[in-house]
């Protein structure tokens, strides 16, 4: 029993202390207990599993080859202008009317047709969809998902400490419990609720990436303004607005960034 508690303490201090790393975007110290390779591994697995599940439910995916190639071209162009250009970026076009786009850690992205369709989509041109993709690629570069997982891990471990202390379980069982907790986190990845700070950072960084890639950064303001007007659409829970409330503060921050982004865009 005492030995188990010592072990738990050891894990705990490793989680709290041993995961200081450099943020690829800011160059500053940050806490992330996952490596960049693990970002790619976790993200790829979640991406494959999600696509498999969607296919099993009959959701049409990537059926318009020309559109998917166009989308992948934009992802390649924006990611090449990012801080982590060498990740295995990949995008799927989910052909349902949901207005959303999301990224898993490591560069796997999903765009829904409700967001990007020539007639019904919320985005009206290449610059506008580029703004959303750049925002998602900024989340990937800043490693917001695994940072959030790092923050929530001590809470999960705390919950298991009680179980171990009560049952005097051994190392193997503990490992199983942690693995189960890890699996739970896995499934929640697409639904990561980024902090407000993370969202503002993805806005700011994404605007620079799109400008560097040669997309007009004014489109970022246009798309979020339109989003704020259309917020009361169908199925709001599944929409990009539920995770990205386009409020006045976000728009003001984007507008403040625009002159710098325009300078980059015009000097391409
Ligand atoms: Zn976001």
């Amino acid at each position: 029993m005492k030995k188990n508690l010592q072990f738990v303490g050891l894990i705990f201090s490793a989680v709290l202390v041993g995961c200081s790393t450099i943020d690829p975007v800011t160059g500053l110290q940050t806490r992330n207990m996952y490596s960049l390779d693990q970002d790619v591994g976790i993200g790829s697995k979640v991406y494959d599993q999600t696509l498999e599940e969607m296919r099993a439910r009959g959701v049409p995916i990537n059926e318009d080859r020309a559109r998917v190639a166009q989308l992948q071209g934009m992802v390649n162009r924006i990611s090449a202008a990012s801080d982590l250009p060498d990740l295995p970026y990949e995008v799927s076009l989910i052909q349902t009317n949901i207005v959303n786009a999301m990224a898993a850690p490591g560069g796997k992205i999903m765009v829904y047709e409700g967001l990007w369709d020539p007639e019904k989509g919320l985005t009206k041109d290449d610059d506008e969809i580029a703004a959303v993709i750049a925002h998602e690629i900024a989340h990937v570069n800043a490693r917001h998902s695994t940072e959030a997982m790092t923050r929530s891990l001590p809470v999960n471990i705390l919950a298991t400490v009680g179980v171990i202390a009560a049952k005097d379980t051994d190392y193997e069982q503990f490992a199983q419990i942690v693995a189960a907790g890890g699996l739970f986190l896995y499934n929640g990845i697409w639904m990561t609720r980024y902090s407000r700070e993370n969202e503002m950072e993805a806005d700011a960084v994404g605007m620079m990436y799109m400008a560097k890639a040669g997309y007009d950064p004014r489109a970022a303001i246009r798309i979020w303004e339109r989003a704020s007007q259309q917020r009361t659409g169908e199925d709001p829970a599944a929409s990009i607005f539920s995770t990205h409330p386009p409020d006045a503060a976000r728009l003001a921050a984007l507008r403040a960034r625009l002159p710098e982004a325009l300078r980059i865009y015009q000097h391409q």
Side-chain angles (χ1 to χ4, degrees):
M1 173 107 163
K2 200 175 161 213
K3 216 171 139 195
N4 285 327
L5 285 177
Q6 275 172 351
F7 174 71
V8 169
L10 206 74
I11 293 279
F12 231 138
S13 47
V15 167
L16 293 174
V17 182
C19 54
S20 188
T21 181
I22 299 294
D23 185 304
V25 173
T26 62
L28 302 172
Q29 287 278 341
T30 183
R31 284 187 55 230
N32 196 323
M33 66 170 296
Y34 299 87
S35 67
L36 196 54
D37 282 347
Q38 284 173 318
D39 274 26
V40 172
I42 292 167
S44 300
K45 191 166 176 183
V46 167
Y47 180 74
D48 291 345
Q49 276 179 355
T50 309
L51 290 178
E52 205 174 292
E53 259 172 54
M54 284 178 172
R55 283 199 185 94
R57 289 181 198 173
V59 177
I61 301 162
N62 293 339
E63 286 178 4
D64 187 337
R65 298 246 163 227
R67 292 282 283 171
V68 178
Q70 199 186 342
L71 207 52
Q72 184 68 48
M74 299 175 91
V75 166
N76 293 350
R77 201 166 130 188
I78 297 164
S79 59
S82 76
D83 292 287
L84 297 171
D86 297 327
L87 294 179
Y89 293 94
E90 190 181 342
V91 65
S92 279
L93 181 60
I94 316 299
Q95 290 165 287
T96 69
N97 207 21
I98 293 169
V99 183
N100 212 346
M102 43 204 185
K108 304 294 185 198
I109 299 167
M110 292 191 178
V111 172
Y112 287 76
E113 228 170 27
L115 187 71
W116 192 58
D117 178 89
E119 283 134 43
K120 318 181 286 264
L122 180 76
T123 56
K124 300 299 175 200
D125 57 37
D126 278 8
D127 294 319
E128 290 183 3
I129 185 66
V132 179
I133 292 172
H135 174 99
E136 294 303 325
I137 288 178
H139 276 310
V140 170
N141 273 253
R143 308 187 61 207
H144 288 155
S145 284
T146 42
E147 271 182 15
M149 283 162 69
T150 300
R151 281 195 299 272
S152 63
L153 200 63
V155 179
N156 281 4
I157 289 181
L158 251 187
T160 59
V161 167
V163 178
I164 292 157
K167 290 190 179 167
D168 194 15
T169 171
D170 61 13
Y171 170 85
E172 207 171 308
Q173 276 171 298
F174 177 77
Q176 279 170 0
I177 293 164
V178 170
L183 213 65
F184 171 74
L185 285 170
Y186 247 38
N187 296 332
I189 278 182
W190 292 116
M191 292 293 131
T192 304
R193 296 277 162 165
Y194 298 119
S195 67
R196 192 174 164 70
E197 204 186 1
N198 284 174
E199 287 305 340
M200 303 282 267
E201 185 181 25
D203 279 349
V205 172
M207 196 183 233
M208 296 306 144
Y209 288 171
M210 75 180 291
K212 269 192 224 169
Y215 293 101
D216 187 340
R218 283 170 288 208
I221 294 172
R222 217 158 56 226
I223 185 70
W224 291 116
E225 274 174 349
R226 189 173 316 134
S228 69
Q229 285 153 12
Q230 295 189 3
R231 209 173 158 182
T232 46
E234 295 160 35
D235 203 2
S239 98
I240 197 163
F241 317 129
S242 67
T243 43
H244 297 82
D247 55 44
R250 277 187 71 200
L251 282 168
L254 276 169
R255 286 196 192 99
R257 277 269 171 170
L258 187 60
E260 191 190 343
L262 271 176
R263 260 195 306 279
I264 294 170
Y265 171 62
Q266 282 153 359
H267 287 91
Q268 284 301 307

